[in-house]
Amino acid sequence: MARSRLLDAGREIILVYPEVLTVNSRGDEIRVPSDVPVEVKVTTSAQRQGDAEVPGQVSIKTVRCITRDAPVGSWARIVYRGEEWDLAAPPRFTPGLSKATRHVEFILRSRNKLGE
């Protein structure tokens, strides 16, 4: 069976702390990032970048990631290139026509670092 190089040979590594279900002090079930990261190889492409030109403005960077499988979700913590990033939208899981083309796509948005 042919495998997709785009999905299996990603050049970037991201750390995903998958969301887990836990109980808070009031007894409510909540989702939080796990303490243990999962290393995921992804293929990335820059989506857009808006640089701040005046102090006080924020920079916006987004990166599109594609990989075979990743435990990403709304409450997952994602570390990319040593910095924390957020999901810009819910991940898109594509079943594909076969196992060889099944993949997940998601867009990361950088967190702005104020005070630097």
Side-chain angles (χ1 to χ4, degrees), residues 16-89:
V16 179
Y17 295 78
E19 59 185 47
V20 292
L21 200 58
T22 187
V23 177
N24 66 8
S25 61
R26 294 184 295 197
D28 300 325
E29 287 187 344
I30 59 170
R31 295 184 188 277
V32 296
S34 168
D35 295 330
V36 180
V38 175
E39 212 172 80
V40 179
K41 289 177 91 174
V42 297
T43 300
T44 61
S45 65
Q47 287 294 95
R48 66 173 188 232
Q49 182 171 339
D51 288 329
E53 296 177 6
V54 178
Q57 292 181 337
V58 294
S59 296
I60 298 171
K61 297 178 191 168
T62 58
V63 175
R64 180 175 158 256
C65 300
I66 185 171
T67 186
R68 173 80 51 205
D69 191 28
V72 292
S74 298
W75 296 103
R77 179 178 161 222
I78 300 172
V79 177
Y80 172 63
R81 293 185 179 173
E83 297 178 4
E84 287 197 29
W85 291 61
D86 297 315
L87 280 176

